Amino acid sequence: AQTVTQSQPEMSVQEAETVTLSCTYDTSESDYYLFWYKQPPSRQMILVIRQEAYKQQNATENRFSVNFQKAAKSFSLKISDSQLGDAAMYFCAYRRGQTGANSKLTFGKGITLSVRP
Amino acid sequence: DVKVTQSSRYLVKRTGEKVFLECVQDMDHENMFWYRQDPGLGLRLIYFSYDVKMKEKGDIPEGYSVSREKKERFSLILESASTNQTSMYLCASSPMTGSGRNQPQHFGDGTRLSIL
């Protein structure tokens, strides 16, 4: 079974600084997808960024980028120029790549990020 | 934008009651999911459905059942509510993976359920 580990329960960053959230996963599959989701205090879970395992290039979305190390099974999220609105809980998630019904996500336990003004 | 709507944001019920949590999505997604979220445990999958009247157990199905009579609606049922089912419940939907293999799941706002 696949597992996703987020070992840091909490992190803090100064506004305008850069922070990296770590995530590791365990799988025997070669085809899969990885996601980072953000859950602000308002509670709705929203997608931050996604990465296909077959792509070597790290995904980037504005101030958010990932460091995807497939051999090490590591998928960290870097937030540049941190803003107060980035304060939230962040979840790393894994999904197998097969087509069909098996589109379940496996989530890590999450990390709470606080941003200091 | 995809809209996933959960019928209640807060719900208080008593032990032994039968509880229904409703979820509706407006994007004609084939897949729908129910998770519970607890501090320190992240999100855990209860049940999911990939088609009308189809369902599969997730990681923690005990004490729950689901119903999907229409494509847009996925209901979670607590047959006889217990205090250990006090939690945040999140519904999500996504297209069938063959039609968009890296499509993310879209989540509702969640229902905070308290069982007294």
Side-chain angles (χ1 to χ4, degrees), chain A residues 34-36 48-52 55-68 75-78, chain B residues 102:
Chain A
L34 297 165
F35 304 86
W36 277 98
V48 175
I49 200 165
R50 75 191 85 175
Q51 175 81 41
E52 294 89 345
K55 288 187 177 179
Q56 293 187 343
Q57 186 174 6
N58 289 326
T60 299
E61 290 285 345
N62 300 313
R63 297 183 296 108
F64 299 87
S65 61
V66 299
N67 184 6
F68 174 47
F75 183 60
S76 60
L77 175 68
K78 186 172 80 172
Chain B
N102 67 347

Side-chain angles (χ1 to χ4, degrees), chain A residues 13-18 79-84 86 115-116:
Chain A
V13 63
Q14 189 75 36
E15 193 175 7
E17 297 294 309
T18 296
I79 307 174
S80 303
D81 186 24
S82 296
Q83 300 175 359
L84 295 177
D86 294 334
V115 180
R116 304 186 302 276

Side-chain angles (χ1 to χ4, degrees), chain B residues 69-84:
Chain B
E69 297 296 319
K70 294 184 178 181
K71 191 175 186 179
E72 67 270 20
R73 185 180 297 271
F74 191 37
S75 303
L76 179 69
I77 304 158
L78 285 66
E79 297 290 345
S80 177
S82 63
T83 55
N84 63 12

Side-chain angles (χ1 to χ4, degrees), chain A residues 15-111:
Chain A
E15 193 175 7
E17 297 294 309
T18 296
V19 64
T20 298
L21 311 182
S22 64
C23 172
T24 59
Y25 58 93
D26 186 25
T27 184
S28 58
E29 306 284 335
S30 59
D31 183 18
Y32 53 88
Y33 301 90
L34 297 165
F35 304 86
W36 277 98
Y37 280 87
K38 171 185 177 181
Q39 187 181 42
S42 64
R43 293 196 324 220
Q44 187 175 38
M45 193 88 71
I46 54 176
L47 179 71
V48 175
I49 200 165
R50 75 191 85 175
Q51 175 81 41
E52 294 89 345
Y54 62 84
K55 288 187 177 179
Q56 293 187 343
Q57 186 174 6
N58 289 326
T60 299
E61 290 285 345
N62 300 313
R63 297 183 296 108
F64 299 87
S65 61
V66 299
N67 184 6
F68 174 47
Q69 301 288 329
K70 191 172 184 178
K73 297 180 182 175
S74 171
F75 183 60
S76 60
L77 175 68
K78 186 172 80 172
I79 307 174
S80 303
D81 186 24
S82 296
Q83 300 175 359
L84 295 177
D86 294 334
M89 182 165 278
Y90 288 81
F91 291 93
C92 179
Y94 166 100
R95 202 194 78 205
R96 297 170 71 182
Q98 289 89 342
T99 58
N102 195 1
S103 60
K104 296 184 293 182
L105 284 174
T106 300
F107 285 88
K109 294 183 178 181
I111 177 171

